[in-house]
Amino acid sequence: PMESVIALTFIMASGAEIGTQFGAFLVFVLLVLMVIEIPLVAYLALPQRTEQVMMRIQTWVRTYRRQMTVTILFGVGCLT
C-alpha cells in the first residue's frame, strides 16, 4: 500500500539509527494490522453489531471526507 511507502520514506529520512528506524516501521505495520484485524475479529464475535458500527463509521467518513483530506494535506505540508 502507498501508506507504507510514505511511512517508510519518512522513517528513513529521519536520520535515526537503523534499529530505531526498523522499530518505528514495525510499530507502524502493527498499528495498520490492528486497524484491519480488530473489525475482523469483532465480526466473528458479533457480526450484526459490527456491521452496524462499520456502517456508521463509513457514513461519517463519507460525510467528512473533504475535511479529512484537507487536514491530512495541511499536516503533511507543515511537516515539509
Side-chain angles (χ1 to χ4, degrees):
M2 188 61 148
E3 294 85 4
S4 297
V5 174
I6 293 170
L8 182 60
T9 301
F10 277 113
I11 292 168
M12 297 303 288
S14 70
E17 294 181 16
I18 193 72
T20 304
Q21 291 177 352
F22 180 74
F25 190 69
L26 187 62
V27 168
F28 171 78
V29 169
L30 290 175
L31 289 173
V32 169
L33 288 176
M34 277 187 357
V35 169
I36 295 168
E37 296 297 327
I38 289 173
L40 289 175
V41 171
Y43 189 77
L44 287 174
L46 300 165
Q48 294 170 339
R49 178 75 176 133
T50 303
E51 186 174 357
Q52 291 172 352
V53 170
M54 295 306 289
M55 291 304 291
R56 276 191 273 157
I57 292 171
Q58 182 181 18
T59 302
W60 183 83
V61 168
R62 284 185 176 174
T63 302
Y64 296 102
R65 181 182 353 192
R66 180 168 291 178
Q67 291 90 336
M68 288 188 296
T69 303
V70 168
T71 302
I72 291 168
L73 291 174
F74 179 76
V76 169
C78 288
L79 290 174
T80 57

